[in-house]
């Protein structure tokens, strides 16, 4: 059986040995130097000024929305567009924090939101923000989307939890908007077991994210910012200063174990991406050619397609159902991410009666899509087995 997730870490045995050694010798395992080093290195790797590490990609999304509200970039009831095909905890914070979610349909040939789909939605829905998901290493015409958002003063942020390392027109995905979120969950590109991060070039947002990440207090802010906050709120005794809570927050701090694993994982990241891209190309050349079985996906516009799971959209529901049976005990498959989020029970529970723009392509992906894992440690034989299985 070729599993969706082959191992917890790339080079699992060596990484586990390093981890054991680290834990034995570490004096502190709660948030500390390893996490802080990771933040510096990850920001550099991504090409962003700031990185705030958290304990999952879902926390990254929730923290980002809370920080945007705290800082006043967003206010309650603002309309927030999101990619109709994405993960649950991409859309959930919009509902949880009193904003209004608006699903934006995707394109069948990129499984991502395009400028065309965005413009269609904007005719009826004056979005204040677009939280776009760069799905499975792909994107559509992001540069056009950036232009539209700039012209219409829409805040653009990217959920890049599935596209760490993808490059479009010479720029890494995750660098097109105000901020971007990342996941380091086991099955994703780089594993800290659970983990996530938010990257941004906006200093005020980064400061607020650090506050939101840890209880709403100022302990992880620099001295100047602490002084400023304490002065503003007349907190002049150090006894209270450490226990003053300035705005709404959570506890999303990662542990030093995640920080350590992140630092180890970053060293392997270029190799992981290269291997996954090589697998992707082998599979795409066969499975994305014109056929009566699958909709061909477009990937040639990407300089690097950093893909961790290979999506297929069948031309009929019947074929998808046949493949589900055929793959049993051979290749583990699943729906494409969360399918069309609009059709998920949580969405229909909390958004009854609301009117939304049509999401025909996302509906089709929901009914006819599937994906299997693209692991850097897939063998040539395993790739051949996958190709034979899906191509016959
Ligand atoms: C697009 C997207 N956003 C967010 C997440 C949440 O990440 P995590 O599992 O680290 O909470 C996922 C998870 O798979 C995802 O696919």
């Amino acid at each position: 059986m070729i599993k969706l997730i082959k191992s917890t870490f790339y080079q699992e045995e060596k990484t586990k040995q390093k981890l054991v050694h680290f834990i034995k010798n570490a004096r502190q395992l709660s948030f500390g130097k390893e996490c802080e080093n990771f933040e510096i290195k990850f920001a550099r790797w991504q090409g962003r000024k700031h990185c705030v590490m958290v304990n999952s990609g879902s926390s990254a999304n929730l923290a980002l929305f809370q920080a945007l509200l705290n800082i006043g970039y967003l206010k309650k009831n603002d309309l927030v567009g999101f990619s109709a095909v994405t993960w649950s905890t991409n859309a959930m914070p919009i509902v949880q924090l009193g904003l209004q979610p608006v699903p934006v349909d995707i394109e069948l040939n990129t499984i991502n939101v395009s400028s065309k789909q965005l413009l269609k939605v904007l005719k009826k829905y004056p979005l204040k923000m677009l939280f776009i998901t760069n799905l499975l290493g792909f994107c559509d015409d992001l540069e056009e989307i950036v232009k539209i958002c700039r012209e219409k003063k829409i805040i653009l942020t990217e959920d890049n939890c599935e596209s760490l390392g993808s490059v479009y027109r010479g720029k890494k995905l995750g660098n097109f908007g105000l901020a971007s979120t990342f996941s380091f969950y086991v099955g994703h590109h780089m594993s800290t077991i659970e983990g996530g991060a938010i990257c941004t070039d906006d200093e005020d947002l980064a400061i607020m994210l650090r506050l939101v990440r840890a209880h709403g207090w100022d302990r992880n802010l620099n001295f100047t910012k602490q002084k400023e906050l304490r002065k503003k709120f007349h907190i002049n005794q150090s006894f209270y200063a450490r226990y003053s809570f300035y705005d709404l927050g959570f506890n999303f701090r990662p542990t030093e174990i995640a920080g350590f694993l992140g630092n180890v994982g970053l060293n392997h990241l270029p190799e992981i991406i290269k291997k996954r891209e090589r697998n992707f190309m082998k599979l795409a050349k066969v499975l994305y050619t014109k056929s009566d079985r699958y909709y061909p996906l477009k990937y040639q516009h990407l300089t690097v397609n950093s893909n961790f799971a290979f999506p297929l959209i069948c031309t009929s529901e019947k074929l998808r159902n046949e493949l589900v049976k055929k793959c049993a005990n051979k290749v583990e498959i699943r729906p494409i991410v969360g399918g069309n989020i609009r059709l998920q029970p949580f969405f229909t529970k909390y958004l009854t009666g609301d009117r939304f723009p049509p999401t025909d392509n996302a509906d089709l992906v929901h009914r006819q899509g599937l994906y299997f894992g693209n692991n850097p440690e897939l063998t040539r034989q395993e790739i051949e087995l996958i190709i034979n299985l899906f191509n016959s």
Side-chain angles (χ1 to χ4, degrees), residues 55-59 61 86-90 133-135 159-162 181-185 188 194-196 308 334 337 371:
N55 58 5
S56 74
S58 303
S59 303
N61 288 349
T86 182
W87 187 244
S88 59
T89 52
N90 170 284
T133 298
N134 300 321
L135 205 77
D159 181 329
N160 206 44
C161 290
E162 300 191 358
T181 57
F182 298 84
S183 164
F184 309 126
Y185 176 62
H188 290 204
E194 297 276 5
F308 70 75
R334 48 164 284 180
V337 193
Y371 83 46

Side-chain angles (χ1 to χ4, degrees), residues 226 288 298 311 379:
Q226 284 178 342
Y288 291 161
K298 207 170 70 173
T379 62

Side-chain angles (χ1 to χ4, degrees), residues 185-239:
Y185 176 62
V186 180
H188 290 204
H189 303 78
M190 193 185 93
S191 158
T192 61
I193 311 174
E194 297 276 5
I198 308 110
C199 284
T200 183
D201 293 333
D202 184 308
E203 188 163 1
D204 292 339
L205 181 58
I207 289 169
M208 186 51 81
L209 282 164
R210 291 185 198 288
L211 201 136
V212 167
R213 172 180 63 186
H215 309 286
W217 65 26
D218 69 1
R219 287 199 207 176
N220 299 105
L221 309 188
N222 66 33
F223 182 65
T224 320
K225 194 67 206 172
Q226 284 178 342
K227 236 172 97 181
E228 198 182 301
L229 272 173
R230 290 171 191 187
K231 191 170 167 208
K232 184 173 168 195
F233 291 95
H234 312 291
I235 294 158
N236 37 30
Q237 289 181 41
S238 58
F239 182 67

